[in-house]
Amino acid sequence: MPSHLVTLILFSALVSTVFALLLRDTTRERVRFGAFAFAAFVVSTLVIGWLTNPFPQ
Amino acid sequence: MLHDDAATAPRDSSRTVAAGLLAWVWPGLGHLYLRRRGKALILMGAILALFVLGVAMDSRLQLHLGLEDPLALLFSAAQMGIGAPYFLARALGFEAGVVTSVSYEYGNTFTAVGGLLNILVILDALDIARGYKR
């Protein structure tokens, strides 16, 4: 896998797709929910990563 | 007199059991059996992609059934949720994983989440077979 970011994006896209299909019924709702879930995964991971950066490993 | 199909139709339990079992054996197969072709193919693609990427990232696929390590048992149960691909990958020699690999933990996450998502897909197939969902 080329990078952590690509791994995060792949994971978020695949999981969001499954959630959108299972939790919404129409195509329009699925696209909106999938996009929201994807953005939430990526943004929250980046924010948590940034916030925890000062802590020692 | 109007009838609600879902409420009045006789429950075909064999159809429900078949949908549930097929959904576990191979991701998306339960939905394919229930004639939800589009949904089935997307679910199959997404979940298998998660699992295959996880195996490619050197995930461990060892089977833990004892209670001496409850977390390992839960991890195995999560991975087994994906059904045949898990056992196929083990049979093909991907059981041990590569613990020294940089992507080992990512791989474990991908394979376990793939299995857990397939459990949600199984429940969705059961709901459709029972008439609770379209």
Side-chain angles (χ1 to χ4, degrees), chain A:
Chain A
M1 200 53 60
S3 75
H4 296 286
L5 184 64
V6 172
T7 309
L8 164 67
I9 288 171
L10 268 174
F11 181 85
S12 304
L14 293 169
V15 175
S16 302
T17 302
V18 176
F19 278 164
L21 277 173
L22 294 180
L23 299 176
R24 294 294 182 269
D25 292 325
T26 66
T27 305
R28 183 184 165 83
E29 286 175 341
R30 283 172 177 163
V31 170
R32 288 185 64 170
F33 183 82
F36 174 77
F38 174 75
F41 270 123
V42 173
V43 171
S44 63
T45 304
L46 293 176
V47 168
I48 292 169
W50 182 75
L51 288 175
T52 57
N53 189 47
F55 296 103
Q57 290 183 356

Side-chain angles (χ1 to χ4, degrees), chain B residues 23 118-128 130 133:
Chain B
N118 198 45
I119 292 171
L120 295 179
V121 171
I122 294 168
L123 295 175
D124 189 67
L126 291 175
D127 278 348
I128 293 171
R130 288 176 182 149
K133 274 185 88 173

Side-chain angles (χ1 to χ4, degrees), chain B residues 5-13 15 129-130:
Chain B
D5 289 345
T8 57
R11 298 257 166 82
D12 186 349
S13 58
R15 183 170 177 261
R130 288 176 182 149

